[in-house]
């Protein structure tokens, strides 16, 4: 069976005014795969995630990004989301006064509308949510609160994964979802992510720590330095990285 | 691609939907203000002598007053001689005796505004008094209310049919000496709504006044008086719109509320006067005096306002907490955009023991709008154990607007507790991008964020109005799920 590519990034060069950040980044992710992206602070991981999600303020000077046969860079951020791109933020923002459940329902219904499905009403939505809450062992009270407002660092990360569970993206990008999680939360979040794994979707997991990869088993591990991937391998590459550090890999 | 900030700015520039002019013939006095004008208005309305004399005294007082300049708004000097002080739709023959005789064009206009006055089209559960320019054109549900002893009619009718009540309470909360515009209003007011809820009666439906300025060069000076007798309660709504015109129009109303023992009055406003265009041409000057007197023990007055319109808004709905244990509340959302200016807030005057007040003010500034909160919390010597809590939050959309806070606190009794919290935030591109990345359009994101910011105030509005208020802010409805 030939693999269906979900995301194909070719020779991507991008940056902000006066600063090049991505310098020839290439990566192909196929359906059903989990890719881990590792790399030093400041190597450009979050920038890549932001560009994929469509944040304003970055300039792409070279290269292409193909997502399910479409030019991803041509789409507005909300269109990307409706087409199935999901970014779990490294630092999720707070939106005071906007109820979490209401927010998520609005988001899901935008995606459903886009695909020609009927919008869910409050009852249908709550039923759906109940299942996902169990899946992620989430504290239900969080859903009664405003979006991320006053959430602890760990709660914010969990809430991101919960959103992902509800929105069921085709391509999920997790930007350091493991940072700031205690070991129990890490297990819950990663088992959630594993359960969400489907043959027709893919995940790009950005992390600094091999320990996450004990729970989320990646098919591929990539090491990023100075705006591009410098080494790729299987999950053993993460172990090697942990044992020998970046220096050794970058030299080798 | 435009930057997110530009997008936000263009989004808040929504066109004014109520700017049409209704083509009815109207009868107006020529512009100008003198004792003669006042006598003319009073005669036109067939008023008793005591009222004519009261007006004249107010006028004479007004003439000696200097125009106030302390407010944080700028506008060219108003030429009071260039305003027409009385305008009414020309009656076809005699004055209309029922809605059937009202000019169909007028009824059509109210339909267009979503305020059907005809029996069949009535707003469910809301009794409406509609004021067109200077006169009341119709009050609905009147008979139903009369069965409970509730009086709800135009001010002019009240003067004739309930003179004792009017005489007793008119000017008892806002005397004509109170301020410049209150004095002017007392001299020239033309109509308004009157409402009396008898002892122990809870008004079974929302009462509502809808104001519409139509005629050019006219001012609107209406007077509202609401009295809730012992143990009575009422919820009152006020809405307003005006056509788009290039010149500024003056709206200087006075609203007086009186709550007797354990009575409760909830007064909600959704103010949507024409704000002028992007360059600040035209728009209503909304200079209004609103004050409630918690006269009886354990009475309660709640002001809730959503101010989105007017070129200039200048008002401070206030509570005088005279009765022991009385409560005053003020919930406000004020939005300024383009060249709009708002200087609004409240005064809570604590006189009785164990009185309590709550102030929640949300100011939203966009475009080059300037938004000021001005609030006074005064605890008099007699007010043992008075409590106040104030919260003033400002939100800025874009970089050219401004938010200002002027809290004044005067405490003369050491047992008082006064708390004031304030915050200013910018609607963040981060927040908008976060919403975008979940599939929401920028417009919806802005609406949602603004709506979230105003939540504490919206929840104080009666249902029908909450919906209208959210629509007004261009805000999509936020359900109460979860
Ligand atoms: N808007 C911006 N303006 C200026 N510099 C930026 C901007 N965005 C990113 N950078 C710079 O680009 C580089 C890459 O940043 P990025 O956040 O992508 O790194 P990262 O790999 O995610 O790092 P970390 O592991 O610390 O999260 C950094 O040097 C950062 O300061
Ligand atoms: Mg990062």
């Amino acid at each position: 069976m030939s693999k269906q590519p979900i995301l194909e990034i070719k020779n991507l060069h991008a940056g902000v005014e006066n600063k090049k950040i991505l310098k020839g980044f290439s990566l192909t992710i196929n359906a059903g795969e989990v890719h881990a992206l590792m790399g030093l602070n400041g190597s450009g991981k979050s920038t890549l995630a932001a560009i994929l999600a469509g944040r304003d303020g970055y300039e792409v000077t070279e290269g292409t990004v193909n997502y399910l046969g479409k030019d991803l860079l041509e789409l507005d951020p909300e269109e990307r989301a409706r087409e199935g791109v999901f970014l779990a933020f490294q630092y999720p923002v707070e939106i005071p006064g906007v109820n979490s459940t209401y927010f998520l329902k609005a988001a899901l219904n935008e995606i459903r509308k886009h695909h020609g499905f009927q919008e869910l009403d409050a009852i249908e939505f709550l039923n759906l949510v109940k299942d996902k809450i169990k899946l992620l062992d989430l504290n239900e009270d969080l859903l009664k609160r405003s979006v991320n407002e006053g959430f602890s660092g760990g709660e914010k990360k969990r809430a991101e994964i919960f959103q992902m569970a509800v929105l069921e993206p085709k391509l999920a990008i997790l930007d350091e979802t493991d940072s700031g999680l205690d070991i129990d939360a890490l297990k819950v979040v990663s088992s959630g992510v594993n359960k969400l794994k489907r043959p027709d979707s893919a995940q790009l997991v950005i992390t600094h720590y091999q320990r996450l990869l004990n729970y989320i088993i990646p098919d591929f591990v990539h090491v990023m330095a100075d705006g591009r991937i410098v080494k790729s391998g299987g999950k053993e590459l993460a172990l090697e990285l942990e044992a020998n550090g970046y220096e050794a890999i970058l030299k080798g | 691609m435009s930057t997110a900030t530009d997008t936000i700015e263009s989004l808040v520039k929504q066109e004014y939907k109520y700017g049409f002019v209704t083509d009815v013939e109207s009868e107006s006095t020529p512009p100008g203000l003198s004792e003669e004008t006042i006598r003319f208005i009073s005669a036109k309305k067939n008023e008793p002598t005591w009222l004519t004399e009261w007006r004249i005294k107010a006028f004479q007082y007004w003439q000696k007053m200097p125009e106030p300049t302390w407010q944080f708004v700028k506008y060219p000097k108003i030429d009071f001689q260039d305003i027409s002080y009385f305008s009414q739709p020309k009656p076809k023959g005699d004055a209309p005796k029922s809605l059937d005789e009202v000019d169909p064009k007028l009824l059509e206009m109210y339909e267009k505004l979503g305020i059907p006055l005809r029996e069949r089209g009535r707003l469910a559960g809301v009794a409406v008094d509609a004021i067109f320019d200077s006169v009341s054109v119709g009050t609905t549900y009147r008979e139903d209310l009369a069965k409970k002893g509730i009086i709800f009619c135009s001010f002019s009718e009240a003067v004739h049919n309930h003179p004792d009540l009017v005489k007793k309470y008119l000017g008892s909360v806002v005397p004509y000496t109170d301020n410049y515009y209150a004095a002017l209003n007392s001299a020239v007011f033309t109509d308004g709504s009157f409402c009396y809820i008898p002892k122990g009666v809870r008004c079974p439906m929302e009462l509502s006044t809808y104001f519409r300025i139509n005629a050019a060069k006219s001012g609107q000076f209406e007077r509202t008086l609401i009295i809730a007798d012992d143990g009575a309660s009422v919820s009152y709504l006020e809405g307003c719109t005006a056509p788009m015109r290039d010149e500024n129009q003056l709206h200087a109303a006075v609203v007086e509320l009186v709550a007797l023992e354990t009575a409760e009055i909830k007064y909600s406003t959704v103010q949507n006067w024409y704000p002028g265009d992007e360059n600040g041409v035209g728009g209503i000057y909304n200079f209004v005096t609103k004050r409630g007197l918690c006269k009886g023990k354990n009475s309660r007055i709640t002001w809730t306002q959503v101010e989105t319109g007017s070129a200039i808004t200048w008002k401070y709905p206030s509570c005088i907490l005279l009765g022991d244990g009385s409560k005053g509340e003020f919930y406000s959302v004020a939005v300024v955009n383009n060249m709009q200016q708002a200087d609004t807030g409240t005064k809570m005057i604590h006189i009785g023991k164990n009185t309590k007040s709550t102030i929640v003010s949300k100011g939203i500034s966009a475009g080059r709008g300037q938004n000021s909160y001005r609030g006074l919390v005064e605890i008099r010597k007699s007010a043992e154990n008075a409590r106040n809590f104030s919260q003033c939050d400002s939100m800025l959309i874009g970089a050219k607007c401004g938010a200002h806070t002027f809290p004044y606190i005067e405490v003369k009794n050491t047992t008082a507790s006064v708390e004031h919290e304030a915050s200013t935030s910018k609607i963040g591109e981060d927040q908008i991008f976060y919403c975008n990345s979940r599939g929401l359009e920028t417009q919806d994101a802005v609406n949602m964020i603004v709506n979230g910011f105003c939540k504490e105030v919206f929840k104080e509005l009666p249902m029908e109005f909450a919906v209208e208020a959210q629509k007004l802010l261009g805000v999509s409805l936020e359900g109460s799920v979860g």
Side-chain angles (χ1 to χ4, degrees):
Chain A
M1 207 180 87
S2 75
K3 289 185 234 161
Q4 199 223 342
I6 289 195
L7 184 72
E8 290 171 291
I9 306 171
K10 284 192 185 136
N11 190 33
L12 191 64
H13 290 255
V16 291
E17 228 179 310
N18 307 326
K19 185 173 161 72
K20 292 197 73 178
I21 302 172
L22 299 184
K23 302 167 185 170
F25 186 96
S26 298
L27 174 66
T28 297
I29 299 178
N30 294 312
E33 293 175 355
V34 175
H35 290 240
L37 185 62
M38 305 182 80
L40 292 168
N41 293 132
S43 56
K45 303 179 297 293
S46 293
T47 302
L48 175 75
I51 289 173
L52 293 178
R55 185 190 279 270
D56 236 4
Y58 296 97
E59 201 191 349
V60 175
T61 47
E62 217 184 312
T64 57
V65 180
N66 193 297
Y67 169 73
L68 292 173
K70 291 193 181 71
D71 180 355
L72 187 70
L73 301 177
E74 280 297 304
L75 302 178
D76 285 339
E78 60 270 26
E79 291 169 334
R80 300 180 195 198
R82 293 171 197 169
E83 289 284 343
V85 176
F86 180 90
L87 170 61
F89 284 77
Q90 185 171 4
Y91 305 106
V93 299
E94 306 193 355
I95 311 182
V98 176
N99 175 273
S100 295
T101 307
Y102 170 74
F103 176 79
L104 196 50
K105 174 167 162 272
L108 180 65
N109 279 333
E110 285 300 336
I111 294 170
R112 292 181 62 93
K113 258 196 307 203
H114 180 73
H115 292 285
F117 296 126
Q118 237 189 346
E119 294 182 42
L120 295 186
D121 64 24
I123 311 274
E124 292 166 327
F125 182 74
L126 284 178
N127 286 335
L128 174 99
V129 161
K130 279 211 183 88
D131 293 346
K132 308 285 180 179
I133 286 174
K134 274 190 224 126
L135 188 72
L136 285 167
D137 192 20
L138 192 84
N139 179 356
E140 272 189 66
D141 289 346
L142 290 185
L143 293 176
K144 296 182 183 140
R145 286 165 52 183
S146 299
V147 178
N148 292 323
E149 195 185 26
F151 288 18
S152 74
E155 285 170 342
K156 282 183 184 165
K157 298 297 177 77
R158 247 189 227 223
E160 291 288 287
I161 299 307
F162 174 70
Q163 291 187 11
M164 171 176 144
V166 172
L167 301 180
E168 298 187 330
K170 282 256 181 304
L171 174 66
I173 304 157
L174 277 53
D175 192 0
E176 296 199 25
T177 300
D178 54 330
S179 324
L181 288 183
D182 60 43
I183 191 72
D184 293 349
L186 184 69
K187 281 184 193 164
V188 172
V189 164
S190 38
S191 84
V193 170
N194 287 333
K195 286 180 208 156
L196 296 172
K197 201 173 148 177
R198 289 205 323 251
D200 62 340
S201 67
Q203 292 166 349
L204 177 61
V205 180
I206 298 171
T207 181
H208 284 288
Y209 305 105
Q210 132 72 19
R211 65 165 196 173
L212 174 68
L213 305 178
N214 289 334
Y215 303 102
I216 300 177
I217 314 285
D219 300 297
F220 300 94
V221 174
H222 311 279
V223 178
M224 194 171 171
D226 195 23
R228 62 175 165 272
I229 290 174
V230 292
K231 188 157 189 177
S232 296
K235 64 175 192 291
E236 65 293 339
L237 180 58
L239 290 168
E240 194 187 323
L241 203 59
E242 178 119 309
N244 306 330
Y246 284 102
E247 281 295 298
I249 295 229
L250 295 181
K251 274 191 208 130
Chain B
M1 217 203 277
S2 63
T3 69
T5 317
D6 287 342
T7 327
I8 300 166
E9 286 190 359
S10 69
L11 282 170
V12 291
K13 282 182 193 153
Q14 302 206 1
E15 260 190 72
Y16 190 71
K17 277 191 295 212
Y18 308 98
F20 55 87
V21 178
T22 307
D23 176 26
V24 290
E25 259 191 282
S26 60
E27 219 176 33
S28 303
T29 55
L33 181 57
S34 64
E35 264 192 45
E36 220 176 305
T37 325
I38 291 158
R39 290 194 191 279
F40 172 83
I41 294 170
S42 194
K44 195 90 192 156
K45 305 185 95 41
N46 221 345
E47 282 174 356
T49 322
W50 67 264
L51 190 50
T52 317
E53 291 315 310
W54 191 75
R55 286 172 178 278
I56 298 291
K57 271 192 274 175
F59 178 65
Q60 288 166 347
Y61 191 84
W62 177 76
Q63 281 181 308
K64 287 185 227 122
M65 294 175 93
E67 224 179 304
T69 50
W70 48 265
Q71 69 279 28
F72 196 79
V73 296
K74 289 196 204 91
Y75 56 94
K77 220 171 147 48
I78 298 172
D79 181 358
F80 291 98
Q81 296 304 333
D82 196 35
I83 293 172
S84 163
Y85 289 85
F86 188 75
S87 168
Q88 65 176 9
K90 200 171 195 167
K92 310 220 151 146
D94 289 329
K97 289 193 185 56
S98 77
L99 280 175
D100 291 336
E101 293 174 38
V102 171
D103 190 331
K105 276 188 191 145
L106 271 180
L107 295 177
E108 207 177 283
M109 178 206 73
Y110 282 99
E111 298 262 346
K112 218 161 157 182
L113 294 169
I115 317 284
L117 295 180
R118 287 210 174 274
E119 303 278 322
R120 55 188 155 78
R122 278 173 184 179
L123 290 178
V126 182
V128 182
D129 183 28
I131 315 270
F132 184 83
D133 287 339
S134 301
V135 294
S136 169
V137 294
T139 309
T140 62
Y141 282 116
R142 204 190 292 214
E143 294 85 39
D144 298 355
L145 293 169
K147 282 186 204 134
K148 297 214 161 218
I150 297 169
I151 304 166
F152 180 44
C153 62
S154 72
F155 204 92
S156 313
E157 285 171 282
V159 169
H160 291 113
N161 302 337
H162 311 282
D164 295 345
L165 282 172
V166 175
K167 206 168 169 179
K168 181 166 176 193
Y169 290 107
L170 176 68
S172 70
V173 188
V174 181
Y176 62 75
T177 51
D178 191 81
N179 70 70
Y180 191 76
Y181 289 99
L184 178 64
N185 173 287
S186 303
V188 303
F189 75 90
T190 38
D191 212 337
S193 300
F194 176 86
C195 171
Y196 172 79
I197 316 287
K199 280 197 173 95
V201 173
R202 315 197 128 255
C203 186
M205 62 180 79
E206 309 279 350
L207 301 185
S208 163
T209 303
Y210 197 90
F211 296 110
R212 174 82 180 168
I213 298 181
N214 191 62
K217 282 217 168 198
S218 67
Q220 186 156 349
F221 304 91
E222 79 282 344
R223 190 121 197 156
T224 302
L225 177 55
I226 300 172
I227 302 137
D229 213 324
D230 297 347
S233 75
V234 62
S235 167
Y236 198 91
L237 322 171
E238 175 200 289
C240 24
T241 57
M244 294 192 215
R245 294 188 186 280
D246 286 346
E247 79 266 23
N248 296 104
Q249 285 177 287
L250 180 62
H251 175 247
V254 171
V255 176
E256 297 178 278
L257 312 181
V258 182
L260 302 182
E261 238 176 86
T262 69
E264 290 186 11
I265 302 176
K266 206 171 153 61
Y267 193 104
S268 314
T269 306
V270 172
Q271 185 267 106
N272 189 25
W273 294 118
Y274 177 53
D277 71 7
E278 271 173 57
N279 303 311
V281 177
I284 303 287
Y285 292 163
N286 191 34
F287 299 165
V288 172
T289 307
K290 289 182 166 173
R291 191 173 304 151
L293 175 62
C294 283
K295 196 167 182 182
K297 264 195 292 190
N298 299 322
S299 55
R300 175 177 185 166
I301 289 178
T302 305
W303 296 101
T304 306
Q305 59 173 23
V306 177
E307 304 281 321
T308 63
S310 297
I312 302 176
T313 298
W314 179 27
K315 63 181 253 200
Y316 313 92
S318 307
C319 296
I320 300 170
L321 304 170
L322 183 63
D324 289 347
S326 60
K327 278 191 196 133
E329 290 162 312
F330 174 74
Y331 300 95
S332 168
V333 168
V335 186
V336 293
N337 189 14
N338 294 325
M339 300 289 279
Q340 278 178 278
Q341 310 173 62
D343 193 310
T344 183
T346 184
K347 289 190 257 183
M348 293 291 174
I349 316 289
H350 292 253
I351 301 171
K353 295 188 185 74
N354 301 314
T355 46
K356 250 192 193 170
S357 63
T358 305
I359 298 171
V360 177
S361 160
K362 304 278 178 175
I364 299 160
S365 316
R368 282 176 286 167
Q370 293 294 330
N371 211 335
S372 304
Y373 167 81
R374 190 185 300 275
L376 168 67
V377 176
E378 184 184 334
I379 314 275
R380 300 256 175 102
K381 222 177 150 94
S382 53
E384 283 291 310
N385 284 315
R387 298 267 172 280
N388 161 266
F389 172 76
S390 305
Q391 185 190 331
C392 304
D393 300 319
S394 308
M395 180 178 264
L396 302 173
I397 304 179
K400 284 175 250 152
C401 52
H404 318 272
T405 309
F406 306 98
Y408 306 89
I409 298 169
E410 287 170 25
V411 179
K412 301 240 168 65
N413 185 312
T414 51
T415 60
S417 128
V418 177
E419 272 178 81
H420 181 91
E421 288 176 8
S423 78
T424 302
S425 58
K426 265 190 151 156
I427 195 164
E429 295 190 6
D430 282 359
Q431 289 174 323
I432 293 184
F433 177 63
Y434 187 79
C435 297
N436 288 156
S437 78
R438 297 298 180 254
L440 302 168
E441 253 158 55
T442 302
Q443 162 113 45
D444 296 337
V446 170
N447 288 346
M448 208 183 252
I449 294 164
V450 169
N451 192 1
F453 176 71
C454 300
K455 192 176 206 160
E456 288 151 281
V457 175
F458 284 165
K459 73 172 204 282
E460 293 298 325
L461 287 172
M463 251 322 265
E464 306 82 7
F465 250 35
V467 173
E468 162 149 6
Q470 286 173 334
K471 270 198 277 182
L472 258 188
L473 290 184
V475 173
S476 54
L477 180 71
E478 173 164 352
S480 49
V481 207

